[in-house]
Amino acid sequence: GVMEKLGLGPEVLLQENPRLIYARLTGFGQTGKYARSAGHDINYLALSGVLSKLGRKNENPYAPINLLADFAGGGVMCAMGIITALYERTKSGKGQVIDASMVKGVAYLSSFLWKSQNLGLWNRPRGENLLDSGAPFYETYKTADGKFMAVGAIEPQFYEQLIKGLGLDSDKLPSQLSFSDWPEMKKKFASIFAQKTQAEWCSIFDGTDACVTPVLSFDDVASHQHNKQRSSFIKNDQEETSPRPAPLLSRTPAVPSFERDPFIGEHTEEILLEYGFTKQEITELYSEKVIEVSKPKANL
């Protein structure tokens, strides 16, 4: 309802320009019991059902930072809605309003969980299934130097290479999918991974199909050989590291800016002046807290 209070709701603007695509990105959506309630990523995850699936055995569900609802279910889904509406407009010539709810977005993002319920992937309690830390071959393990390795050897041919790299004999081990043996196998794998450093394990598993990779910290990720070869990370003029835009387009790849990120409101006045607002109008918008204006201070 914020935009309606400002007289800038979709009904008003679409009358001015019927081709307009108006995206409304919210946590709970434009309608419903919680539509006007405050919330954060963890609340949207909870209401979508996804949070109930996240967590280890005998532990509370946990939210994985705020990537799932805010950025994936919210930002990415909203962007996809805009792209879809732009494509539809090439046929109809008309714009439309996009109701991008983070609850619905992250629920839709989790369609795989819903569609695979009858496959036996999720019929055990949280933290005891194939992909939620229940399996010894889909887990992270601590190394001798306090770092970690990520293991994702699901397919039997990959699992066999994992077992070989760990120095074990598969003939002397339980079946890979023997659920009752998973807890003991996790302990066995953990004790073996703890005997070597992350670098030593990389030297064993790099170049194999064991699906074993180092868990890289933000300090290490840009210098990893694979990421360097792919130019996956860039530095701006302040020597700050960040990911390069993805996915990579062959003909029109994104050209990243190497300047520092702008301060919130740094270019507000400049942009509004460019679009025909007067200084007085900008001052009024600022005083009514409709906009933010923040000029960087000179380094004297």
Side-chain angles (χ1 to χ4, degrees):
V2 174
M3 297 304 285
E4 280 79 3
K5 288 176 185 175
L6 299 173
L8 297 171
E11 293 81 6
V12 174
L13 298 189
L14 280 164
Q15 281 183 354
E16 293 277 333
N17 179 7
R19 290 175 55 84
L20 184 70
I21 292 161
Y22 194 117
R24 312 198 79 167
L25 176 56
T26 60
F28 296 114
Q30 295 299 316
T31 58
K33 179 179 179 179
Y34 292 168
R36 293 179 180 270
S37 299
H40 278 295
D41 185 285
I42 193 169
N43 307 116
Y44 313 139
L45 272 183
L47 208 62
S48 73
V50 175
L51 186 57
S52 70
K53 296 291 186 184
L54 306 177
R56 291 184 173 275
K57 182 179 179 180
N58 298 327
E59 293 185 11
N60 295 355
Y62 66 82
I65 319 182
N66 66 324
L67 296 175
L68 271 182
D70 280 355
F71 301 125
V76 174
M77 286 294 187
C78 184
M80 190 167 76
I82 293 168
I83 292 168
T84 305
L86 282 167
Y87 177 70
E88 193 279 336
R89 191 175 70 182
T90 65
K91 299 184 175 185
S92 68
K94 297 177 181 178
Q96 54 188 310
V97 181
I98 298 162
D99 180 356
S101 150
M102 294 183 195
V103 173
K104 290 182 75 171
V106 76
Y108 183 58
L109 194 70
S110 73
S111 294
F112 165 69
L113 303 183
W114 293 90
K115 302 291 186 182
S116 62
Q117 284 187 101
N118 296 328
L119 299 180
L121 290 177
W122 314 108
N123 55 358
R124 300 167 67 81
R126 182 177 61 250
E128 296 183 25
N129 299 283
L130 183 70
L131 301 177
D132 64 0
S133 79
F137 49 86
Y138 204 89
E139 178 61 287
T140 56
Y141 293 99
K142 197 170 187 176
T143 58
D145 53 346
K147 298 182 180 181
F148 294 88
M149 298 298 289
V151 177
I154 297 175
E155 292 80 359
Q157 67 272 29
F158 302 156
Y159 181 72
E160 187 59 39
Q161 293 199 41
L162 166 66
I163 296 303
K164 181 181 177 182
L166 292 175
L168 297 170
D169 184 350
S170 58
D171 293 333
K172 297 178 181 178
L173 298 173
S175 166
Q176 179 184 357
L177 296 179
S178 176
F179 298 117
S180 60
D181 291 301
W182 278 3
E184 276 304 311
M185 289 297 291
K186 286 180 77 168
K187 290 178 184 176
K188 184 184 287 286
F189 287 5
S191 67
I192 295 173
F193 271 108
Q195 294 170 18
K196 289 183 172 66
T197 65
Q198 186 187 71
E200 288 173 323
W201 284 119
C202 285
S203 68
I204 290 171
F205 285 112
D206 280 4
T208 75
D209 281 336
C211 301
V212 179
T213 49
V215 177
L216 299 174
S217 69
F218 272 29
D219 291 333
D220 299 331
V221 68
S223 59
H224 187 273
Q225 187 178 14
H226 177 80
N227 292 330
K228 283 174 68 176
Q229 290 169 349
R230 296 274 301 165
S231 300
S232 298
F233 293 85
I234 56 176
K235 283 189 177 181
N236 65 12
D237 54 13
Q238 306 287 306
E239 290 296 301
E240 297 167 330
T241 301
S242 62
R244 183 178 290 275
L248 183 63
L249 277 62
S250 64
R251 187 171 52 79
T252 58
V255 180
S257 169
F258 293 98
E259 296 180 6
R260 63 160 175 78
D261 292 341
F263 301 117
I264 293 175
E266 180 177 345
H267 302 111
T268 301
E269 186 176 350
E270 176 185 332
I271 291 167
L272 291 178
L273 286 170
E274 185 181 322
Y275 275 88
F277 286 78
T278 65
K279 288 260 187 184
Q280 183 180 349
E281 287 173 325
I282 294 171
T283 302
E284 288 175 4
L285 288 170
Y286 178 69
S287 65
E288 292 173 12
K289 297 184 178 179
V290 174
I291 60 171
E292 278 195 54
V293 177
S294 174
K295 292 292 182 184
K297 295 177 181 177
N299 294 319
L300 299 177

